[in-house]
Amino acid sequence: MLEAAKAVGITSITCTPHCRKPYFDYEAMWEAFYELEDAAGGFPLQMGFEVNHRTLMELGMEWAKVLHIDGSTEFLLELSTNAMPSRFADYERTIFGLQGMGYDVIIAHPERYVAIQKDIGIAYELVEMGCKLQASTDFIAGGRLGRERRPAIRMLKEGLYSYFASDAHHARHYAYFAKSWRKYGGYLVG
């Protein structure tokens, strides 16, 4: 996967393993990161987590101090894909709580959230709250076809995204990143 990332021009990687059941094992994830770091030959790597809202609530907000993106104040938060707009009040409390702790909240792949698919205004509200949005490039490039692509393209063109993420689970996912970057990279807002 590292070689595939380099081949499409990626110059650094933030690893964001899932912090949700059944995948989450904090110690094992750090061990895997250190193994990757040893094998990467100096390629710039950073450790973070894609933190599922429900899991954070179960663990407790104090876990934010070890689940943020290491060496930064950024916190990658994943919301429930099926949450209805009424649920976003719970998310707002969590977001404001994280911001109050000094974290810059990044919302992972908002194009997956049914509420945003139905009402893109929710994405605007998240940005107005100070969140940054992270697009998963497999949706933009057409790697996954479905309800996600249309809102992803719209959010890009309306300047709502700050980050592109490969969301790579396989080496072939980097091709989606390259395709999306070539076509839409200029739409990112920084």
Side-chain angles (χ1 to χ4, degrees):
M1 286 182 66
L2 185 58
E3 295 307 313
K6 290 178 189 177
V8 299
I10 290 173
T11 58
S12 65
I13 294 175
T14 300
C15 302
T16 55
H18 294 286
C19 176
R20 66 179 155 113
K21 295 176 184 173
Y23 310 107
F24 184 58
D25 182 334
Y26 182 78
E27 296 299 327
M29 289 174 170
W30 271 103
E31 288 174 22
F33 175 77
Y34 293 135
E35 286 180 36
L36 175 62
E37 199 172 45
D38 288 345
F43 185 85
L45 298 170
Q46 190 173 22
M47 182 60 164
F49 295 88
E50 182 178 317
V51 184
N52 178 273
H53 180 266
R54 176 181 291 160
T55 303
L56 180 61
M57 295 299 92
E58 290 171 357
L59 292 170
M61 290 289 281
E62 63 274 8
W63 271 78
K65 66 184 175 205
V66 296
L67 295 176
H68 65 90
I69 297 173
D70 195 42
S72 81
T73 60
E74 295 176 318
F75 190 94
L76 182 60
L77 184 64
E78 177 186 47
L79 309 178
S80 171
T81 56
N82 295 316
M84 291 295 110
S86 60
R87 179 77 194 280
F88 276 72
D90 292 338
Y91 299 146
E92 287 177 11
R93 282 188 288 279
T94 301
I95 290 165
F96 289 138
L98 289 166
Q99 290 169 333
M101 295 169 74
Y103 295 108
D104 300 307
V105 179
I106 302 167
I107 303 297
H109 46 66
E111 64 277 355
R112 291 186 192 178
Y113 308 139
V114 172
I116 290 175
Q117 292 168 4
K118 292 181 178 193
D119 179 6
I120 200 166
I122 294 171
Y124 276 97
E125 290 173 21
L126 290 166
V127 171
E128 288 171 11
M129 291 171 56
C131 295
K132 293 184 178 180
L133 306 183
Q134 172 233 299
S136 287
T137 55
D138 53 346
F139 291 113
I140 296 162
R144 297 185 198 180
L145 300 176
R147 299 180 306 227
E148 299 88 358
R149 190 166 196 267
R150 181 170 283 139
I153 299 296
R154 184 172 171 200
M155 285 188 279
L156 265 171
K157 290 185 174 180
E158 293 184 22
L160 294 174
Y161 285 118
S162 295
Y163 300 102
F164 265 2
S166 66
D167 202 11
H169 293 81
H170 303 282
R172 67 181 175 273
H173 289 165
Y174 288 108
Y176 298 136
F177 179 89
K179 182 179 176 182
S180 296
W181 182 257
R182 284 191 304 273
K183 190 167 183 178
Y184 297 107
Y187 286 102
L188 294 180
V189 294

PDB file of all heavy atoms in Angstrom, residues 1 25 33 40 128 139 147 153 174:
ATOM      1  N   MET A   1       0.826  -1.196   0.000  1.00  0.00           N
ATOM      2  CA  MET A   1       0.000   0.000   0.000  1.00  0.00           C
ATOM      3  C   MET A   1       0.869   1.259   0.000  1.00  0.00           C
ATOM      4  O   MET A   1       0.530   2.234  -0.667  1.00  0.00           O
ATOM      5  CB  MET A   1      -0.935   0.003   1.202  1.00  0.00           C
ATOM      6  CG  MET A   1      -2.095  -0.983   1.062  1.00  0.00           C
ATOM      7  SD  MET A   1      -3.247  -0.958   2.440  1.00  0.00           S
ATOM      8  CE  MET A   1      -3.962   0.660   2.280  1.00  0.00           C
ATOM      9  N   ASP A  25      -8.581  -1.809  18.769  1.00  0.00           N
ATOM     10  CA  ASP A  25      -7.645  -2.336  19.754  1.00  0.00           C
ATOM     11  C   ASP A  25      -6.481  -1.355  19.798  1.00  0.00           C
ATOM     12  O   ASP A  25      -5.566  -1.410  18.974  1.00  0.00           O
ATOM     13  CB  ASP A  25      -7.177  -3.733  19.357  1.00  0.00           C
ATOM     14  CG  ASP A  25      -6.229  -4.357  20.374  1.00  0.00           C
ATOM     15  OD1 ASP A  25      -5.541  -3.606  21.116  1.00  0.00           O
ATOM     16  OD2 ASP A  25      -6.150  -5.594  20.421  1.00  0.00           O
ATOM     17  N   PHE A  33       1.335   0.419  13.743  1.00  0.00           N
ATOM     18  CA  PHE A  33       1.891   1.672  13.242  1.00  0.00           C
ATOM     19  C   PHE A  33       3.413   1.667  13.354  1.00  0.00           C
ATOM     20  O   PHE A  33       4.117   2.048  12.413  1.00  0.00           O
ATOM     21  CB  PHE A  33       1.300   2.868  13.995  1.00  0.00           C
ATOM     22  CG  PHE A  33       1.929   4.171  13.583  1.00  0.00           C
ATOM     23  CD1 PHE A  33       1.583   4.783  12.388  1.00  0.00           C
ATOM     24  CD2 PHE A  33       2.897   4.770  14.380  1.00  0.00           C
ATOM     25  CE1 PHE A  33       2.173   5.976  11.998  1.00  0.00           C
ATOM     26  CE2 PHE A  33       3.489   5.968  13.998  1.00  0.00           C
ATOM     27  CZ  PHE A  33       3.128   6.574  12.803  1.00  0.00           C
ATOM     28  N   ALA A  40       8.881   1.691   6.598  1.00  0.00           N
ATOM     29  CA  ALA A  40       8.639   2.774   5.638  1.00  0.00           C
ATOM     30  C   ALA A  40       9.901   3.494   5.177  1.00  0.00           C
ATOM     31  O   ALA A  40       9.837   4.311   4.262  1.00  0.00           O
ATOM     32  CB  ALA A  40       7.664   3.781   6.236  1.00  0.00           C
ATOM     33  N   GLU A 128     -19.848  25.812   9.539  1.00  0.00           N
ATOM     34  CA  GLU A 128     -20.080  27.039  10.324  1.00  0.00           C
ATOM     35  C   GLU A 128     -19.728  26.833  11.795  1.00  0.00           C
ATOM     36  O   GLU A 128     -19.321  27.781  12.475  1.00  0.00           O
ATOM     37  CB  GLU A 128     -21.532  27.487  10.176  1.00  0.00           C
ATOM     38  CG  GLU A 128     -21.835  28.071   8.817  1.00  0.00           C
ATOM     39  CD  GLU A 128     -23.312  28.315   8.562  1.00  0.00           C
ATOM     40  OE1 GLU A 128     -24.123  28.225   9.510  1.00  0.00           O
ATOM     41  OE2 GLU A 128     -23.658  28.584   7.402  1.00  0.00           O
ATOM     42  N   PHE A 139     -15.511   7.712  -3.359  1.00  0.00           N
ATOM     43  CA  PHE A 139     -16.864   8.123  -3.738  1.00  0.00           C
ATOM     44  C   PHE A 139     -16.818   9.105  -4.898  1.00  0.00           C
ATOM     45  O   PHE A 139     -17.618   9.046  -5.813  1.00  0.00           O
ATOM     46  CB  PHE A 139     -17.591   8.778  -2.561  1.00  0.00           C
ATOM     47  CG  PHE A 139     -17.920   7.805  -1.479  1.00  0.00           C
ATOM     48  CD1 PHE A 139     -17.299   7.900  -0.255  1.00  0.00           C
ATOM     49  CD2 PHE A 139     -18.837   6.791  -1.686  1.00  0.00           C
ATOM     50  CE1 PHE A 139     -17.594   6.991   0.761  1.00  0.00           C
ATOM     51  CE2 PHE A 139     -19.128   5.885  -0.683  1.00  0.00           C
ATOM     52  CZ  PHE A 139     -18.508   5.991   0.534  1.00  0.00           C
ATOM     53  N   ARG A 147     -25.570   6.600  -3.435  1.00  0.00           N
ATOM     54  CA  ARG A 147     -26.065   7.898  -2.969  1.00  0.00           C
ATOM     55  C   ARG A 147     -24.945   8.863  -2.606  1.00  0.00           C
ATOM     56  O   ARG A 147     -25.163  10.054  -2.510  1.00  0.00           O
ATOM     57  CB  ARG A 147     -26.940   7.702  -1.732  1.00  0.00           C
ATOM     58  CG  ARG A 147     -28.149   6.853  -1.949  1.00  0.00           C
ATOM     59  CD  ARG A 147     -28.937   6.728  -0.668  1.00  0.00           C
ATOM     60  NE  ARG A 147     -28.105   6.248   0.425  1.00  0.00           N
ATOM     61  CZ  ARG A 147     -28.435   5.281   1.250  1.00  0.00           C
ATOM     62  NH1 ARG A 147     -29.600   4.694   1.145  1.00  0.00           N
ATOM     63  NH2 ARG A 147     -27.626   4.909   2.216  1.00  0.00           N
ATOM     64  N   ILE A 153     -19.701  15.361  -4.858  1.00  0.00           N
ATOM     65  CA  ILE A 153     -19.344  16.295  -5.924  1.00  0.00           C
ATOM     66  C   ILE A 153     -19.902  17.684  -5.597  1.00  0.00           C
ATOM     67  O   ILE A 153     -19.218  18.699  -5.753  1.00  0.00           O
ATOM     68  CB  ILE A 153     -19.875  15.799  -7.281  1.00  0.00           C
ATOM     69  CG1 ILE A 153     -19.267  14.432  -7.649  1.00  0.00           C
ATOM     70  CG2 ILE A 153     -19.612  16.833  -8.378  1.00  0.00           C
ATOM     71  CD1 ILE A 153     -17.792  14.406  -7.858  1.00  0.00           C
ATOM     72  N   TYR A 174      -5.707   3.724  -3.996  1.00  0.00           N
ATOM     73  CA  TYR A 174      -4.933   4.913  -4.309  1.00  0.00           C
ATOM     74  C   TYR A 174      -5.183   5.399  -5.734  1.00  0.00           C
ATOM     75  O   TYR A 174      -5.011   6.582  -6.024  1.00  0.00           O
ATOM     76  CB  TYR A 174      -3.450   4.685  -4.040  1.00  0.00           C
ATOM     77  CG  TYR A 174      -3.172   4.642  -2.556  1.00  0.00           C
ATOM     78  CD1 TYR A 174      -2.863   3.460  -1.918  1.00  0.00           C
ATOM     79  CD2 TYR A 174      -3.263   5.801  -1.790  1.00  0.00           C
ATOM     80  CE1 TYR A 174      -2.639   3.420  -0.555  1.00  0.00           C
ATOM     81  CE2 TYR A 174      -3.042   5.775  -0.421  1.00  0.00           C
ATOM     82  CZ  TYR A 174      -2.735   4.586   0.185  1.00  0.00           C
ATOM     83  OH  TYR A 174      -2.526   4.552   1.549  1.00  0.00           O
TER      84      TYR A 174
END
